[in-house]
Amino acid sequence: MSFSHLVSDIGFRDHDTSDRSSHLSRPSLRSTTQSYARSYASTAATSVSISGDISSQLHGGYSHPLARAWQAERQLTKSMLIYPLFISDIADEETLIPSLPNQHRRGLNKLVAHLTPLVAKGLRSVILFGVPTAAGIKDALGTAADDPKGPVMRALRLLRRHFPDLFLVADVCLCEYTSHGHCGILREDGSLNNGLSVDRISDVAMAYAEAGAHCVAPSDMNDGRIRAIKLKLIEAGVAHKVVLMSYSAKFSGCLYGPFRDAAGSCPSFGDRKCYQLPPGGRGLARRAISRDIQEGADIIMVKPASSYLDIISDAKEIGENMPVAAYQVSGEFAMIHAGAKAGVFDLKTMAFESTEGILRAGASIVVSYFTPDFLDWLSS
């Protein structure tokens, strides 16, 4: 059963038993689901005719000027940095995130003013994370993820208008939008339904691409989602101009706490250890990287960054002819700030040393909350 069939029966049970009856009986839920949830015909290559393997599709990975620049290796520069943004569905919100120093949740009305001076300083790319807060907006299927009026969809259109040269990456996941906080659709026993999750995730990726994302970056870690997204991009005729960046080696651990505070994406039960990689799982990481390359990824990512330099090195070895990205995650960023505040080391020195270590390991793209600082610290 595909997601397109599933949306016709929103009786899929939510795991918050205390709210189950009200969740299933909301009169607007069925219409909301049908309006917001998108479905494209197939996740198999039933209507796709391409010569060679799916990994032969290369044009999307270097169609944009910045993506072309990412094909080269260099010292730390502004162009290799991607700045994470938390986009609230409250238009005028600008709220400091206590666990993530100097970072905010911002609504659409605050985005342009925030980004204008950063773009003037040389900001080249941002990655968008939606933060839905409206009552009742989250459900078991994450139907708000590709709502045309949702925070990421609206932000993509807004930023394309105001900053035509800014490279826009859309993180693709359901955890911010599901009532259970997991990165996909669940079975009744609470386990991840990989097939339905992949169908849904690939629909969301397509919606973001059509809304203006230059790059879609699935972070859910469901098996097979890279191939499913690539096939739908091909079917839609946009694979030649949309970069597919895979969170290929994403490890479970305690370094995501500040991010989950910012995005409101903590699981309501259990954890994500059944789909995020186990710490120390180097062999699994290598297999996941190889798989995603074969499934058509244009860029492979390792997350967290500084604590997995060996995996970054592996990624560069396995994907020797493609860009490797590394996510300097919220916990890493917060710990560096805490150390600087305690006088253990200088903030600028530690930020440079940490980031340059990531580059030496083999990354050529860094997703970092230090990006605004680096725009001041770097000359080019």
Side-chain angles (χ1 to χ4, degrees):
M1 181 170 62
S2 71
F3 179 75
S4 54
H5 294 107
L6 181 63
V7 294
S8 65
D9 181 14
I10 194 60
F12 191 93
R13 289 198 289 271
D14 192 277
H15 287 269
D16 183 358
T17 55
S18 64
D19 191 41
R20 182 178 296 170
S21 60
S22 61
H23 172 75
L24 295 178
S25 62
R26 287 201 300 271
S28 62
L29 186 54
R30 182 181 298 273
S31 61
T32 298
T33 303
Q34 292 171 337
S35 298
Y36 292 168
R38 305 167 51 99
S39 184
Y40 292 78
S42 64
T43 52
T46 53
S47 62
V48 178
S49 177
I50 59 175
S51 62
D53 187 81
I54 194 169
S55 60
S56 69
Q57 304 297 294
L58 303 180
H59 289 173
Y62 60 92
S63 61
H64 189 278
L66 184 59
R68 294 174 72 85
W70 283 343
Q71 305 302 316
E73 298 179 19
R74 65 181 74 80
Q75 298 298 312
L76 178 58
T77 62
K78 295 177 181 181
S79 63
M80 64 172 46
L81 298 167
I82 301 177
Y83 179 33
L85 295 175
F86 298 98
I87 314 299
S88 170
D89 59 359
I90 302 172
D92 291 314
E93 182 176 5
E94 192 167 39
T95 303
L96 183 68
I97 302 162
S99 58
L100 203 51
N102 304 326
Q103 308 301 307
H104 295 73
R105 283 188 296 269
R106 289 184 172 89
L108 260 66
N109 292 347
K110 302 295 184 178
L111 275 183
V112 172
H114 172 58
L115 290 177
T116 296
L118 299 180
V119 170
K121 292 178 183 179
L123 178 66
R124 298 293 304 278
S125 181
V126 296
I127 182 168
L128 308 182
F129 299 92
V131 187
T133 63
I137 196 67
K138 299 185 180 187
D139 60 36
L141 306 177
T143 53
D146 48 0
D147 173 5
K149 296 181 180 179
V152 171
M153 297 281 279
R154 294 182 66 190
L156 287 168
R157 294 190 291 267
L158 174 72
L159 297 180
R160 282 297 291 260
R161 290 196 306 271
H162 283 272
F163 305 106
D165 296 325
L166 187 63
F167 188 85
L168 305 179
V169 183
D171 177 85
V172 184
C173 196
L174 299 183
C175 60
E176 302 103 314
Y177 304 94
T178 52
S179 50
H180 45 70
H182 282 279
C183 301
I185 296 172
L186 304 181
R187 296 185 177 91
E188 294 188 14
D189 65 1
S191 62
L192 195 69
N193 188 319
N194 193 86
L196 294 181
S197 299
V198 165
D199 202 5
R200 179 76 184 111
I201 288 288
S202 54
D203 285 348
V204 174
M206 269 304 309
Y208 290 165
E210 292 187 342
H214 298 103
C215 172
V216 291
S219 60
D220 56 293
M221 291 296 289
N222 285 283
D223 288 336
R225 86 275 202 219
I226 300 303
R227 179 176 174 83
I229 294 171
K230 195 73 166 189
L231 289 173
K232 287 185 179 180
L233 292 172
I234 294 169
E235 288 179 334
V238 297
H240 65 290
K241 62 180 181 180
V242 178
V243 178
L244 177 49
M245 178 164 64
S246 172
Y247 288 68
S248 295
K250 180 179 179 181
F251 290 84
S252 62
C254 60
L255 291 174
Y256 305 140
F259 176 93
R260 292 173 183 172
D261 290 344
S265 61
C266 291
S268 61
F269 67 94
D271 54 44
R272 296 172 179 152
K273 292 180 181 179
C274 64
Y275 44 97
Q276 293 181 356
L277 301 180
R282 188 172 186 175
L284 272 174
R286 292 178 65 92
R287 290 165 60 192
I289 291 165
S290 298
R291 175 199 63 190
D292 288 358
I293 292 172
Q294 292 302 313
E295 291 188 1
D298 298 304
I299 299 170
I300 48 179
M301 185 195 292
V302 176
K303 177 183 181 182
S306 299
S307 50
Y308 287 97
L309 298 182
D310 57 337
I311 308 300
I312 296 174
S313 180
D314 285 352
K316 188 58 181 174
E317 173 198 330
I318 298 166
E320 59 180 337
N321 298 316
M322 63 194 305
V324 174
Y327 198 140
Q328 197 174 46
V329 300
S330 59
E332 295 174 278
F333 175 77
M335 285 193 295
I336 291 174
H337 265 273
K341 186 176 181 180
V344 176
F345 43 68
D346 175 70
L347 179 67
K348 180 178 178 180
T349 300
M350 190 59 184
F352 266 101
E353 289 183 356
S354 175
T355 306
E356 287 172 345
I358 293 165
L359 301 180
R360 284 192 297 270
S364 56
I365 303 164
V366 182
V367 182
S368 177
Y369 300 96
F370 280 115
T371 296
D373 298 305
F374 279 125
L375 296 176
D376 290 327
W377 295 336
L378 293 170
S379 59
S380 63

